[in-house]
Amino acid sequence: MTTAERLLSRIRADGPIPLPDFMAEAVAAYYRRPRVFGAAGDFVTAPEVSQIFGELVGVWLALRWHAEGRPERFLVAECGPGRGTLIADALRAAAMVPGFAATIDLHLVETSPTLREAQATALAGFPATWHDDATDLPGGPLHVVGNEFLDALPAAQFVFRGGAWRERRVGHDGRDFVFADGPEARPPADLLDRLPAPREGEILEHAPAAEAFVAGLARRIATQGGAALFFDYGPAESGFGDTLQAVSRHRAAPPLAAPGEVDLTVHVDFSRLARLAQGEAAAAFGPVDQGIWLVALGLPARLTTLLRQATPRQTEELVSGAQRLIEPQAMGRLFKAFALMPGGSEAPEGF
Ligand code: SAH
């Protein structure tokens, strides 16, 4: 049975299903497919654009290691590592810092068996442990990185209809998956409190799984120490609106049309995640523009070093990749960096 068939038979049996259930099934099925990333796949992520991205994440981790007094064991976890490109580049940068790489205890949080294999290949023998869920990570100060991970976690939506908020569900009209109004439901109060009075038909979205993940991680970092660094796209302030989007072959696609066959994401509401983290006694930093963060971490100097030994073709790739990562009209402003630290910490590098 395909994902669409499975979802359809569930809708036929039970009626319209919650959007988070639809998105969770669709995303899990999608990442089991081959050829998701890269020019021949559906979309290109920052670590796939330039090796410098992962290298600078490695530099950031090394700076945290120094700031923590160069501990003998440094617990690192990447969430949603994709093809493993970011972590492989980060480890190469880490190897240039005397004494650092040998302290790294590496954990990868990844649900897709296809991608776990790709990650093992990218790591080329560097030891790692895989987990389905971040709550299974070992204890102690934890250093988490994640690029385009939070946006893949399932979102919930509400629609304001006839003076009341209703859950927005996914049904089927005999031909297509369609949105359907579900039962009356209360959106999270802290979100409603910050927004103006809704108009008829207004949509309110939030991401229960991303919120639970960030709150749990913030609580852990606040009590056990460590740091987290995420890159994703989304607004700096919470607002109304439906941001569910699908991408297939580098183009936007209808979000409900082909569950499991297209990449489904939502915008990440950084300000809400920051408030939730602060509520757990952690400190939240950012969001800052990815371009600004990368330049602050030393992208120009790293590019200059790489260009010294580059062939003309590599030179062109390195320069265009770096431009794509940092230029405001490319990925530099749309994507943001966001960090969590123990409460009361000074801002980490780049924030
Ligand atoms: N960080 C990579 C991949 C981003 S795509 C890059 O930048 O190229 C999202 C990643 O998150 C994929 O590896 C996907 O399999 C993983 N993922 C999605 N939902 C997940 C979940 N609930 N738990 C763990 N990993 C998940």
Side-chain angles (χ1 to χ4, degrees), residues 75-81 107-111 116 129-140 142-146 149-150 153 209-210 212-218 220-221 224 228 230 340:
L75 188 57
V76 172
E78 184 179 3
C79 293
H107 295 260
L108 303 177
V109 178
E110 174 61 67
T111 39
R116 282 184 178 202
T129 311
W130 276 264
H131 306 266
D132 281 332
D133 198 292
T135 54
D136 300 334
L137 291 167
L142 172 68
H143 309 86
V144 172
V145 296
F149 169 70
L150 298 171
L153 300 180
F213 166 77
V214 165
L217 184 60
R220 181 183 163 147
I221 287 174
Q224 298 181 40
F230 296 103
L340 301 175

Side-chain angles (χ1 to χ4, degrees), residues 19 156-169 179-187 192 198-206 240-242:
L19 178 61
Q157 291 180 352
F158 302 88
V159 56
F160 194 71
R161 201 84 78 194
W165 285 106
R166 295 182 169 278
E167 199 187 317
R168 205 164 180 231
R169 293 194 167 188
F179 282 110
D181 289 1
E184 268 190 42
R186 282 297 294 165
L192 283 186
R199 289 169 308 204
E200 179 71 8
E202 200 91 77
I203 289 168
L204 184 61
E205 181 182 273
H206 78 121
F240 287 124
D242 168 8

Side-chain angles (χ1 to χ4, degrees), residues 83 115-125 130:
R83 290 206 284 207
L115 290 176
R116 282 184 178 202
E117 256 179 62
Q119 291 153 18
T121 306
L123 285 176
W130 276 264

Side-chain angles (χ1 to χ4, degrees), residues 131-308:
H131 306 266
D132 281 332
D133 198 292
T135 54
D136 300 334
L137 291 167
L142 172 68
H143 309 86
V144 172
V145 296
N147 184 61
E148 293 207 53
F149 169 70
L150 298 171
D151 65 359
L153 300 180
Q157 291 180 352
F158 302 88
V159 56
F160 194 71
R161 201 84 78 194
W165 285 106
R166 295 182 169 278
E167 199 187 317
R168 205 164 180 231
R169 293 194 167 188
V170 180
H172 199 271
D173 67 2
R175 245 189 65 192
D176 299 313
F177 291 103
V178 289
F179 282 110
D181 289 1
E184 268 190 42
R186 282 297 294 165
D190 69 296
L191 258 184
L192 283 186
D193 289 350
R194 269 157 218 280
L195 294 170
R199 289 169 308 204
E200 179 71 8
E202 200 91 77
I203 289 168
L204 184 61
E205 181 182 273
H206 78 121
E211 290 151 12
F213 166 77
V214 165
L217 184 60
R219 194 177 317 131
R220 181 183 163 147
I221 287 174
T223 52
Q224 298 181 40
L229 175 64
F230 296 103
F231 299 87
D232 233 306
Y233 52 94
E237 288 303 323
S238 307
F240 287 124
D242 168 8
T243 76
L244 183 68
Q245 57 175 278
V247 167
S248 174
R249 303 253 148 212
H250 309 277
R251 281 163 197 256
L256 301 184
E261 291 170 45
V262 297
D263 180 48
L264 273 189
T265 58
V266 288
H267 290 183
V268 174
D269 182 351
F270 292 108
S271 64
R272 180 132 196 273
L273 296 180
R275 287 196 301 276
L276 292 171
Q278 286 152 0
E280 302 293 343
F285 297 93
V288 304
D289 293 355
Q290 170 177 292
I292 291 174
W293 189 89
L294 289 168
V295 170
L297 265 286
L299 179 138
R302 180 63 186 145
L303 179 62
T304 305
T305 306
L306 289 170
L307 290 179
R308 275 193 207 121

